[in-house]
Amino acid sequence: MKIFLDTADLSEIRRAADAGLIDGITTNPSLVAKVAEGDVSVMYREICEAVDGPVSLEVLAVDRETMVTEGRKLAAIHENAVVKVPLTEDGLKACSDLVAEGHKVNVTLCFSVSQALLAAKAGATFISPFVGRLDDISGEGMQLISQIRQVYDNYGFDTEILAASLRHPMHVVECMLIGADCCTLPPKVLWQLSSHPLTDKGLAAFLKDWDAAGTAI
Ligand code: G3P
């Protein structure tokens, strides 16, 4: 399963990339607004250069024609750029247009299996179902991942399931068990994956025993 980092924070991106842990980046307007200064295309290029993999950059327009125009500009920033469009009627049309031009597209804000079907029909490279936001309203976010997996497998769609809005490590574990293609994680959740109290306790005991023996390597 691919792991993407869900942030526009370059220091977090470089930290995770330096550890060899991430396969790409996803951003959205809210995440970019937290860190943006000046010309955002400069920041987008730096993010694309910091990782060896897809970087989702979202359009801001809501009509097909302007989405396509913005999408072309985003795609031209770097070969890693993937155009992110919302799952609306215009977004699906823009997805079809951009895919026909050879661009990669991530269709975002997916909350139902029927939406995921249409994104696949529109040729989306990635579909981004939002798990946590469904859980937030007493929905079943993980059931959506499972159902999309089944539908895509039933019909041989090659759109990759990019599970998004993941809030804690068990979301990631469940995505792996279901067979999501990719998970995008906030930096905090990425680092939580590595943490285990028994690892810390065991390491402390190893070092204490070693010191007590007074041995040198
Ligand atoms: O990639 C989408 C993700 O950033 C949304 O996460 O936690 O704002 O629902 P959240």
Side-chain angles (χ1 to χ4, degrees):
M1 188 185 69
K2 293 172 197 163
I3 294 182
F4 296 158
L5 208 60
D6 195 26
T7 184
D9 184 328
L10 260 169
S11 63
E12 290 288 1
I13 289 167
R14 289 184 176 131
R15 178 184 171 203
D18 182 54
L21 293 174
I22 53 170
D23 302 294
I25 301 293
T26 54
T27 66
N28 65 38
S30 303
L31 293 171
V32 172
K34 283 185 193 170
V35 294
E37 284 173 8
D39 184 353
V40 87
S41 66
V42 172
M43 187 182 80
Y44 281 168
R45 190 168 302 110
E46 286 179 317
I47 293 174
C48 289
E49 286 168 354
V51 291
D52 185 16
V55 176
S56 291
L57 306 173
E58 190 158 343
V59 300
L60 295 168
V62 292
D63 68 282
R64 174 186 192 165
E65 195 183 344
T66 320
M67 277 191 220
V68 171
T69 303
E70 286 184 7
R72 288 179 187 134
K73 283 185 193 159
L74 292 170
I77 288 175
H78 194 276
E79 61 186 5
N80 286 344
V82 172
V83 182
K84 203 172 181 190
V85 300
L87 210 159
T88 58
E89 180 177 338
D90 279 74
L92 291 170
K93 289 173 179 170
C95 175
S96 298
D97 293 343
L98 289 162
V99 168
E101 292 180 12
H103 303 302
K104 291 185 175 169
V105 178
N106 177 356
V107 179
T108 190
L109 291 167
C110 171
F111 294 96
S112 74
V113 186
S114 55
Q115 287 182 313
L117 168 68
L118 294 188
K121 298 289 281 184
T125 316
F126 300 102
I127 181 70
S128 292
F130 277 31
V131 172
R133 291 193 194 183
L134 279 171
D135 292 350
D136 287 343
I137 58 160
S138 303
E140 293 277 356
M142 209 48 70
Q143 193 178 64
L144 175 61
I145 302 296
S146 178
Q147 290 178 346
I148 297 172
R149 177 76 283 153
Q150 185 176 340
V151 169
Y152 280 9
D153 289 349
N154 283 352
Y155 297 102
F157 289 118
D158 56 11
T159 298
E160 294 188 38
I161 301 172
L162 197 176
S165 186
L166 302 178
R167 307 273 177 76
H168 52 72
M170 283 313 294
H171 271 157
V172 186
V173 171
E174 288 178 70
C175 281
M176 287 191 282
L177 293 172
I178 290 167
D181 301 287
C182 330
C183 279
T184 190
L185 312 179
K188 179 183 164 203
V189 176
L190 173 70
W191 298 113
Q192 281 177 326
L193 292 180
S194 72
S195 173
H196 199 291
L198 290 180
T199 303
D200 298 339
K201 188 177 170 189
L203 179 59
F206 286 158
L207 296 178
K208 187 173 169 218
D209 292 345
W210 185 269
D211 282 349
T215 314
I217 291 179

